[in-house]
Amino acid sequence: MHNHIDFETRYVMCVDIDKCTGCGACMVSCQAENNIAPMEDGSNKLKTLTWMLVYELNNGKNFPDREVAYLPRPCMQCENPACVPVCPVVATAKDEEGGIVSQIYPRCIGCRYCMAACPYHARYFGWFDPKWPEGMDKTLSPMTSTRPRGVVEKCNFCHTRLMNARQRARQEGVDPLKMPEDWYQPACVESCPSGAITFGDINNPEHKVHELAHSKYAFRLLEKLGMDPQVYYISRREWVRKQADHHTAEEKH
Amino acid sequence: MDRNLFPEGVTRCGLPKFMAWCGFILLFLLWGVYASFQVFYHGIGVTGLDNYFGFGLWITFDLAVIALGAGAFFTGFLKYILKIDQLKNIINLTVIVGFLCYSGAMLILTMDIGQPGRAWFGYWHPNVHSMLTEVIFCITCYCTVLIIEFIPLILEQKQLNKIPFLHHLAHNLHVNMALFAGIGTFLSTFHQGSLGGMYGVMFGRPYAFREGFFIWPWTFFLFVLSAVGSGPVFTVLICALMEKLTGRKLVDYKVKALMGKIAGAMLCLYMFFKIIDTWAWAVGYLPSVGMTFDQMFYGTIYGKWLLWTELGLCGVLPAIMLITPSIRNKPFWLYTAAILDCAGITINRYVFTVQSIAVPVMPFDKWQTYAPNWAEWATSGMIVAYGALVISLAYRYLPVFPQEVKLNK
């Protein structure tokens, strides 16, 4: 069941939950960077497009012992993704250096099997035609494609920024597989005011994430299911770490 | 006026009565056509589906009708390959029901996918690892086989059959029907199985995930068995309903009881494996991923009653009823068992489709509920209306039931 591919570069995100204030700047910058149209009626949150979603966690206790934590959830870019093998038309794949799970919008037929397979709810369907308020179309990011309705879309770690960084590397004679970490940062990382999100190549010891991901406080969501996400969370609070997985598991699948 | 089009020697109601009946069906059909227009024009945002429930009533409907339409391939297999001759008296109806179930499912699928214009990508860019690719190939190929199996029956219409070319074409297709029955059996078995496999491979969804045999999860085999355990009695139910509506005997009861016996035997086999599978899932797999049996159920809408109803009331009970000759040979009990059997398989398809994705897998996530809205009901109703219309026309004008003249003398 495990389809592991060894990449020379593997981009991962580390989110320090103890630093996250739940401000939502990551969500907003993601929407702007990736040309996600505002919905005419956003009241049904289960039909909105939010590639980056901030969950609110709590320790289950009442005031004054209550503690709250915020958990930003982009696409996990799993090393063993549940969504990729199920797609009937190879619209989603994980085969490029960097280990990002791609989504090819013109290929997607909108069957939503990948959404059913993903337990992180990281995949979103375009239920309606995207409509931008008058004038707002001029603020669209020229680097990111817009999507028609009827296809599945998701966070891709702002892949266009990776493309730009690689182009810069080639121009400046740097190995595109060994770029300095600040050359490629997704929009959410750049906009986080509390510096809770760190991003880089886990295989490169010069990148901070290499050390952060190996911290004893680091964990990943649902490790027991064996999807091996490329998003790591860090928390020094045990109750937060416990909420990431089902700790009664006897064995790892 | 249309008396000359009736099959030889049968009696049918007057044309005005038939037109009134068709008009009644058309009301549902038109309501569904209006909903389809809304879906195609505005997108499937008009349905009750959302980002949690990418699969809902439509997929449940598809899976259920395809399982219940399994009477076509399985009865064809028994009639043409295993040579159980008695089944020739109901084989035409099984082919029509199968054709309607599969073509209806395909019509629903064109609405269900977000980009209907790209439906052919399944052939053009196939992912050999995806169970859905197998489904796409098998469902379209098998639907074609069903059309080929339906054609000779249409050509046997009294007036058409007078044309020598069509008469010979129908005859030759009949002669080669064993070949199509064989192809259909192969395609449909894999198709039914891969529908089960679709859920069994979702390793991020503990409700549905199953480890299994070679490349197939157990659900692959469970779906095949459950389909052949319910498809034959679904055809019997359709036949009984037609007899009730028309007031005429169409198929000898012995044939229906035989279909019940076949479905009962298959249902017993299915229940045996299904119970073992459920047990292994509850006490083996779930604890291994840190979840419990109780966590798989929630409130009334996703309660354990669904599981017990599926396994007990609509599983073990009809299985026993169908294999017990004294019960099976009484029409009331045969039909009751058939209804329970079909309801159980439909519940199974529902929970695999909806409950699988309603279960919160992330510990801090919450249960979500789903209710289909009018657009989904209307389009599903449209398919039922389409089926009723085709069966009504087939009954009136085609020689579907070889025993009808003799039974009504």
Side-chain angles (χ1 to χ4, degrees):
Chain A
M1 187 53 79
H2 204 288
N3 304 306
H4 185 89
I5 307 174
D6 278 322
F7 296 106
E8 199 175 329
T9 57
R10 189 180 297 277
Y11 282 102
V12 305
M13 188 176 281
C14 286
V15 184
D16 191 329
I17 290 184
D18 298 343
K19 286 185 185 171
C20 177
T21 61
C23 69
C26 53
M27 291 175 67
V28 175
S29 59
C30 174
Q31 301 248 330
E33 174 77 14
N34 293 297
N35 294 334
I36 297 173
M39 281 181 73
E40 285 179 80
D41 172 17
S43 59
N44 184 351
K45 296 298 177 196
L46 295 179
K47 279 193 175 171
T48 51
L49 295 165
T50 40
W51 292 6
M52 171 64 112
L53 183 67
V54 178
Y55 282 87
E56 184 184 304
L57 318 182
N58 67 69
N59 63 351
K61 295 179 181 169
N62 292 325
F63 180 82
D65 301 318
R66 190 176 183 85
E67 283 185 49
V68 171
Y70 296 97
L71 185 137
R73 192 247 43 218
C75 169
M76 296 286 133
Q77 319 293 348
C78 308
E79 287 181 31
N80 180 35
C83 52
V84 167
V86 300
C87 176
V89 293
V90 207
T92 186
K94 188 185 178 77
D95 50 12
E96 195 201 348
E97 273 303 333
I100 296 168
V101 177
S102 62
Q103 178 70 7
I104 307 165
Y105 310 121
R107 175 79 68 83
C108 175
I109 61 172
C111 70
R112 306 182 300 285
Y113 191 10
C114 54
M115 290 169 64
C118 174
Y120 302 108
H121 310 297
R123 288 180 163 265
Y124 290 86
F125 187 73
W127 298 100
F128 303 102
D129 284 312
K131 284 181 192 153
W132 281 270
E134 199 179 334
M136 195 175 160
D137 52 339
K138 293 184 176 62
T139 69
L140 287 174
S141 164
M143 298 306 296
T144 314
S145 62
T146 55
R147 284 78 52 190
R149 78 163 191 236
V151 301
V152 175
E153 46 190 83
K154 70 171 193 75
C155 153
N156 53 22
F157 277 176
C158 294
H159 187 257
T160 46
R161 291 184 171 216
L162 173 61
M163 298 291 102
N164 289 344
R166 282 187 181 155
Q167 195 174 6
R168 178 185 166 191
R170 287 187 202 98
Q171 284 166 347
E172 297 185 19
V174 175
D175 182 353
L177 300 181
K178 291 190 174 59
M179 294 185 292
E181 66 178 345
D182 59 342
W183 281 27
Y184 165 39
Q185 301 279 294
C188 55
V189 180
E190 198 173 67
S191 68
C192 178
S194 59
I197 315 178
T198 313
F199 188 81
D201 175 13
I202 197 171
N203 293 344
N204 188 339
E206 291 170 14
H207 288 203
K208 280 192 219 92
V209 292
H210 177 79
E211 186 189 335
L212 288 172
H214 294 96
S215 146
K216 66 174 180 176
Y217 299 117
F219 60 91
R220 294 184 288 181
L221 289 180
L222 301 177
E223 290 213 49
K224 298 296 182 295
L225 295 182
M227 277 177 265
D228 296 342
Q230 285 179 203
V231 176
Y232 290 78
Y233 293 95
I234 295 166
S235 180
R236 290 138 206 96
R237 291 176 282 180
E238 197 183 351
W239 70 264
V240 175
R241 293 200 298 274
K242 277 195 169 172
Q243 288 202 22
D245 209 344
H246 303 285
H247 280 256
T248 51
E250 290 159 1
E251 58 179 288
K252 189 176 175 183
H253 274 259
Chain B
M1 184 181 80
D2 60 344
R3 198 168 298 268
N4 290 335
L5 302 174
F6 294 167
E8 205 65 61
V10 301
T11 313
R12 294 287 180 261
C13 67
L15 190 59
K17 195 174 175 184
F18 183 67
M19 295 299 274
W21 166 247
C22 290
F24 173 69
I25 296 172
L26 275 173
L27 290 177
F28 292 92
L29 203 68
L30 290 175
W31 188 44
V33 169
Y34 171 71
S36 314
F37 173 77
Q38 293 290 325
V39 168
F40 284 123
Y41 191 76
H42 296 292
I44 52 177
V46 301
T47 66
L49 296 166
D50 57 42
N51 287 325
Y52 267 76
F53 295 98
F55 291 173
L57 175 69
W58 281 339
I59 297 292
T60 306
F61 183 87
D62 279 353
L63 294 180
V65 297
I66 282 173
L68 300 176
F73 92 86
F74 196 58
T75 314
F77 169 73
L78 296 172
K79 158 78 176 72
Y80 294 107
I81 313 287
L82 298 189
K83 310 282 185 197
I84 301 178
D85 199 48
Q86 263 184 297
L87 297 176
K88 68 173 188 284
N89 297 315
I90 203 165
I91 192 79
N92 290 337
L93 182 63
T94 63
V95 166
I96 296 173
V97 171
F99 166 75
L100 292 172
C101 289
Y102 272 77
S103 56
M106 287 180 67
L107 282 171
I108 284 279
L109 282 174
T110 57
M111 273 175 279
D112 195 12
I113 61 172
Q115 292 282 340
R118 299 178 189 170
W120 55 281
F121 281 16
Y123 282 99
W124 203 249
H125 309 287
N127 175 11
V128 294
H129 302 288
S130 173
M131 285 283 173
L132 188 52
T133 302
E134 195 176 308
V135 171
I136 291 169
F137 270 78
C138 289
I139 194 174
T140 43
C141 291
Y142 184 52
C143 199
T144 312
V145 169
L146 280 166
I147 292 168
I148 294 169
E149 289 181 350
F150 195 0
I151 285 173
L153 184 64
I154 297 170
L155 298 183
E156 278 176 2
Q157 194 278 328
K158 199 165 68 184
Q159 299 300 334
L160 287 178
N161 209 243
K162 285 178 183 166
I163 302 165
F165 172 74
L166 297 182
H167 172 78
H168 293 306
L169 180 62
H171 174 75
N172 283 314
L173 280 171
H174 267 307
V175 169
N176 294 308
M177 207 44 80
L179 173 69
F180 295 112
I183 295 171
T185 303
F186 173 80
L187 287 170
S188 196
T189 304
F190 271 85
H191 165 50
Q192 298 282 356
S194 46
L195 279 174
M198 270 183 69
Y199 293 97
V201 298
M202 295 199 304
F203 57 93
R205 299 291 183 180
Y207 188 88
F209 179 66
R210 297 290 193 280
E211 287 168 296
F213 177 71
F214 194 41
I215 60 166
W216 294 292
W218 291 125
T219 46
F220 183 97
F221 306 99
L222 292 175
F223 268 50
V224 178
L225 283 175
S226 59
V228 296
S230 59
V233 284
F234 181 67
T235 315
V236 169
L237 284 177
I238 298 279
C239 182
L241 183 65
M242 289 173 76
E243 288 181 338
K244 191 85 184 159
L245 288 172
T246 59
R248 300 176 65 78
K249 287 196 176 108
L250 302 174
V251 175
D252 188 7
Y253 186 74
K254 278 183 190 162
V255 178
K256 292 183 212 158
L258 175 64
M259 293 285 271
K261 184 180 172 184
I262 292 164
M266 291 293 119
L267 190 62
C268 283
L269 193 62
Y270 166 63
M271 289 316 300
F272 174 75
F273 286 112
K274 175 69 181 169
I275 289 168
I276 293 175
D277 169 76
T278 307
W279 177 257
W281 167 75
V283 303
Y285 171 69
L286 286 178
S288 78
V289 291
M291 301 191 88
T292 63
F293 180 68
D294 287 345
Q295 280 178 313
M296 298 291 110
F297 304 94
Y298 171 73
T300 307
I301 187 168
Y302 303 122
K304 283 182 192 153
W305 69 272
L306 272 170
L307 182 73
W308 304 133
T309 305
E310 180 200 335
L311 295 183
L313 181 65
C314 298
V316 174
L317 181 64
I320 293 169
M321 289 170 77
L322 289 171
I323 56 159
T324 309
S326 57
I327 300 176
R328 182 176 69 226
N329 288 330
K330 293 188 181 75
F332 174 78
W333 292 115
L334 173 70
Y335 300 145
T336 304
I339 290 169
L340 290 175
D341 181 358
C342 295
I345 301 310
T346 306
I347 292 173
N348 174 265
R349 300 314 193 246
Y350 166 74
V351 294
F352 263 94
T353 302
V354 174
Q355 192 148 349
S356 292
I357 45 185
V359 178
V361 184
M362 291 188 285
F364 52 83
D365 215 347
K366 292 184 175 62
W367 278 88
Q368 297 293 336
T369 55
Y370 157 79
N373 74 0
W374 75 274
E376 292 160 276
W377 284 118
T379 44
S380 303
M382 173 181 76
I383 301 303
V384 177
Y386 148 75
L389 192 64
V390 173
I391 285 192
S392 301
L393 289 167
Y395 164 72
R396 189 170 176 87
Y397 297 116
L398 303 179
V400 179
F401 299 104
Q403 291 177 306
E404 186 186 349
V405 178
K406 192 177 81 182
L407 287 173
N408 291 285
K409 262 182 186 167

